[in-house]
Amino acid sequence: MEMLLALIAILGMGAFYCLIAYFLIRLISRKAFKRTLTKYETIEILVWAAMVFFAIVMIKNQSWNMLLPVVLLMVSMINLRRSNRKYSEMSKEMKKEGL
């Protein structure tokens, strides 16, 4: 029972910190860089930060069993970012042409 309570507390703490980070990233981008991020871009930044953090911790602790999935997830995130960039460029061009 205590383990379940500890697990719920840890998950709640993680969710709370993610929520704070979500709003801080949007606030910083709006105030410092004068750019409003969409919720998808903000979540993408959070995922990148988490992956880099886990990769650094795994390298530091020499725990190599989870490093491969993190690297493969990073590769898929790079491909997703490239395709999203191409899609946004195409939509901007179509808006300029009036289509």
Side-chain angles (χ1 to χ4, degrees), residues 11-85:
L11 290 176
M13 185 176 60
F16 177 71
Y17 286 142
C18 285
L19 188 66
I20 288 174
Y22 175 81
F23 286 114
L24 279 176
I25 288 171
R26 292 189 75 162
L27 179 73
I28 290 169
S29 71
R30 190 170 45 243
K31 297 290 183 184
F33 303 113
K34 307 286 191 270
R35 182 164 188 260
T36 304
L37 295 176
T38 64
K39 63 181 176 180
Y40 300 112
E41 291 170 333
T42 308
I43 292 171
E44 183 181 6
I45 290 171
L46 282 172
V47 170
W48 272 107
M51 286 190 304
V52 169
F53 173 75
F54 282 125
I56 289 171
V57 168
M58 283 184 271
I59 291 171
K60 181 182 168 263
N61 294 334
Q62 295 182 357
S63 172
W64 307 112
N65 57 351
M66 286 296 291
L67 189 61
L68 183 62
V70 168
V71 170
L72 293 176
L73 188 57
M74 284 183 182
V75 169
S76 65
M77 289 288 290
I78 290 170
N79 290 336
L80 177 67
R81 186 68 188 151
R82 285 182 186 162
S83 64
N84 284 344
R85 189 179 304 136

